[in-house]
Amino acid sequence: MALAPGLRDPVHDAQRVFRAVMDALARPGRVQALTLTLSPPAPLTPELAALALTLADADAPLWLDAPLSASPEVAAFLRFHTGAPVVADPGQAAFALVSDPARCPDFAEFAQGTPAYPDRSATLVLALDRLGEDGRLVLEGPGIRGRAHLSAAPLPPDCAARLAANHARFPLGIDLLLAAPGRLAGLPRSTRVTEA
Amino acid sequence: MSDEGHRGDARLPGHETDITPSPEPHARTEDLPAEPAPEPGTGYNFAYLDEGTKRMIRRAILKAIAIPGYQVPFASREMPMPYGWGTGGVQVTAAILGRSDVLKVIDQGSDDTTNAVSIRAFFARTAGVAVTTRTAEATVIQTRHRIPERPLAEGQVLVYQVPIPEPLRFLEPRETETRQLHALAEYGLMHVKLYEDIARHGHIATTYAYPVEVAGRYVMDPSPTPKFDNPKMDDCPALQLFGAGREKRIYAVPPHTRVRSLDFEDHPFRVQHFAEPCALCAARGVYLDEVLLDDAGRRMFVCSDTDHCEERRAAGHRGEGA
């Protein structure tokens, strides 16, 4: 099977994707538009592929969840376009691509950073079906004026508790990017998440 | 070739709309030209830095945003200007800049000093982006040691050039130790320093690079901005990014984040006040520069923010020296 092409315009497409990611993390709960022309091999979604191609490289290893690592085409696509090592140990990854968020491993299995270097921690990218600025998740913290609301599905069943535990470890912890078709939101570790 | 010509060449029809929502993300592929457009300033990648460097800086920026006020180490590159001329800010700007951005660069509030002019020209040439002196029109503002007087807006990014990012550096020279102090949130040294100010001078004598606490956790150096600008950092609607090139650190304050200037209950934080208004535009409540007029010691005080002053004068405000 022929390798699917990467970003059509690597310089400017990557810049646009990065700005969407930057705005998503700087303004948690604000959903950013992310429209792409990528058609990566399934089950890798265009959004997950775009984020990996924009941010991963030889210095930033990728971890793939079970459905993604079951597809040799996905690994070949990511290796060719990013040059990033694909690691089996979640603790070694800079970015984790999760196509089945309902079965996402515990956040504590990923790199949390150290007290002196909390930045040496993972960013998880979850492929969702739906993402909206209304819903049961209530967000507070840096980047949010007052409160924000977020609806996102599917998520791990105990997601609010996991996010609370992640926030409690601040400044250690992981950061989440939620990527639904054409839409992106961020949940950095600094955000307090509760369920209304 | 003029900057105008560069920009015209660089833009693809309909390309800027890529990021807007579309019901059929794949449908537009055929409409677009097959090859990317040639870049302005041929011979350089867009905005000077190579893509690998941009990715590295972008990853550092994302972690900086996720951990407000924490200094993320990054592999700072040699830039075509010396350390101390804003290489940190330039690298941050180059990593975030896109073709539709409008860039403003200020140096001590001024758009027309050497540092500001040359950095603005650098990006006009290597990225072909539109440049402006007007705060309201800019999407990215790179600054050396001032925050514009006009309140910043949602969607704007303020990029600071930072010489010494570590607020504890002059109290503890060892990086291994300052890292530990930040890890433990042990900021007693800084309070002792401010207390010694009071013991010697009767008030907190620190007037610039005045330390702040970000989101209730990290103590941060706001770069050598006058403390007059510290209150503008608190709950600011714009994203604030800080780049230190020689010291190889990036840090950030997300929008709407609590930024508190350190102080004591009996010696609360206060900003400078100026008795006279701006001599050119009569503005009060702004930061003023002292300008010497002759050898006899005559002087006047004018707005440090040149764009703010020009806008006020254009609106008909006149000071006593105008």
Side-chain angles (χ1 to χ4, degrees):
Chain A
M1 187 188 141
L3 196 67
L7 297 171
R8 192 189 56 77
D9 182 347
V11 173
H12 300 290
D13 285 353
Q15 189 272 338
R16 271 191 294 275
V17 173
F18 165 72
R19 280 289 277 270
V21 175
M22 184 178 90
D23 289 340
L25 282 174
R27 296 179 164 80
R30 195 82 65 83
V31 175
Q32 310 292 325
L34 187 67
T35 304
L36 302 149
T37 52
L38 281 171
S39 2
L44 191 63
T45 68
E47 290 75 26
L48 255 53
L51 265 59
L53 267 54
T54 299
L55 294 168
D57 59 25
D59 297 326
L62 290 167
W63 179 88
L64 308 179
D65 73 345
L68 289 174
S69 45
S71 160
E73 288 85 10
V74 167
F77 175 86
L78 291 171
R79 280 208 180 89
F80 179 81
H81 288 298
T82 68
V86 177
V87 294
D89 173 10
Q92 297 295 315
F95 293 93
L97 305 184
V98 181
S99 65
D100 183 4
R103 289 184 186 75
C104 180
D106 193 78
F107 295 158
E109 288 186 33
F110 297 92
Q112 307 287 307
T114 65
Y117 292 95
D119 57 300
R120 295 178 182 174
S121 48
T123 304
L124 274 60
V125 190
L126 272 50
L128 304 188
D129 298 332
R130 291 192 314 280
L131 195 55
E133 292 183 354
D134 53 345
R136 290 189 309 124
L137 293 179
V138 181
L139 318 182
E140 288 172 286
I144 303 164
R145 188 177 198 177
R147 287 176 169 193
H149 294 262
L150 195 68
S151 63
L155 288 175
D158 54 344
C159 196
R162 288 193 193 198
L163 290 167
N166 187 54
H167 176 66
R169 281 192 286 269
F170 187 90
L172 306 190
I174 56 108
D175 305 303
L176 277 184
L177 290 169
L178 309 175
R183 297 160 79 77
L184 179 72
L187 283 179
R189 67 194 77 177
S190 57
T191 304
R192 285 185 300 282
V193 183
T194 49
E195 266 183 305
Chain B
M1 208 196 305
S2 72
D3 292 337
E4 210 46 53
H6 283 306
R7 283 207 300 281
D9 291 339
R11 290 197 172 166
L12 297 175
H15 202 81
E16 278 80 1
T17 58
D18 251 11
I19 204 78
T20 58
S22 148
E24 291 176 283
H26 303 282
R28 295 177 60 253
T29 315
E30 289 77 15
D31 304 338
L32 296 167
E35 291 295 317
E39 297 299 349
T42 308
Y44 293 109
N45 189 29
F46 178 82
Y48 185 78
L49 291 177
D50 63 277
E51 290 302 298
T53 298
K54 285 188 197 168
R55 267 195 303 275
M56 174 269 296
I57 294 172
R58 286 167 180 170
R59 290 193 295 261
I61 291 172
L62 297 182
K63 287 301 169 194
I65 291 170
I67 315 167
Y70 164 73
Q71 303 162 50
V72 183
F74 82 110
S76 178
R77 299 294 194 244
E78 294 232 3
M79 298 301 286
M81 61 191 75
Y83 286 142
W85 283 66
T87 54
V90 165
Q91 289 179 79
V92 169
T93 300
I96 67 172
L97 207 61
R99 279 191 293 210
S100 52
D101 275 315
V102 181
L103 179 69
K104 169 183 165 85
V105 184
I106 50 173
D107 173 6
Q108 306 274 17
S110 169
D111 292 279
D112 49 15
T113 56
T114 309
N115 199 213
V117 170
S118 56
I119 291 173
R120 203 161 57 231
F122 175 77
F123 283 114
R125 183 161 173 193
T126 59
V129 294
V131 293
T132 185
T133 59
R134 291 180 176 274
T135 302
E137 289 172 5
T139 57
V140 177
I141 303 171
Q142 182 172 327
T143 176
R144 176 176 173 274
H145 316 342
R146 273 313 309 282
I147 301 173
E149 302 292 355
R150 171 189 280 271
L152 298 175
E154 300 269 343
Q156 288 184 313
V157 184
L158 187 59
V159 179
Y160 294 74
Q161 303 171 199
V162 182
I164 310 278
E166 177 51 70
L168 304 168
R169 181 59 69 233
F170 293 109
L171 306 170
E172 170 51 68
R174 289 167 296 180
E175 171 70 8
T176 47
E177 293 303 306
T178 54
R179 287 238 151 229
Q180 280 300 314
L181 294 173
H182 282 294
L184 299 167
E186 175 50 72
Y187 296 120
L189 264 182
M190 186 58 88
H191 282 101
V192 170
K193 191 254 184 203
L194 296 177
Y195 168 74
E196 285 181 348
D197 267 8
I198 295 169
R200 280 183 198 160
H201 307 288
H203 61 99
I204 298 177
T206 305
T207 54
Y208 66 96
Y210 192 104
V212 294
E213 178 197 76
V214 181
R217 176 58 175 81
Y218 283 96
V219 164
M220 186 188 91
D221 185 335
S223 85
T225 50
K227 69 176 179 179
F228 181 88
D229 284 339
N230 277 21
K232 297 177 190 166
M233 306 181 83
D234 182 38
D235 196 29
C236 177
L239 170 64
Q240 301 172 77
L241 300 175
F242 300 77
R246 183 187 53 214
E247 303 293 320
K248 303 174 173 56
R249 297 290 185 272
I250 287 172
Y251 51 105
V253 176
H256 302 299
T257 297
R258 181 88 176 97
V259 177
R260 188 178 69 83
S261 302
L262 299 185
D263 62 358
F264 299 98
E265 274 176 25
D266 52 344
H267 285 270
F269 174 78
R270 285 200 185 91
V271 298
Q272 296 98 328
H273 283 286
F274 298 90
E276 297 292 312
C278 170
L280 296 179
C281 76
R284 289 182 184 273
V286 298
Y287 195 73
L288 301 180
D289 282 342
E290 179 182 10
V291 180
L292 292 177
L293 297 176
D294 57 25
D295 290 348
R298 285 208 315 128
R299 58 189 189 162
M300 67 180 199
F301 288 89
V302 297
C303 283
S304 141
D305 184 336
T306 53
D307 170 61
H308 183 74
C309 199
E310 278 166 24
E311 277 188 23
R312 281 182 55 85
R313 276 179 284 156
H317 298 280
R318 287 284 178 276
E320 286 179 3

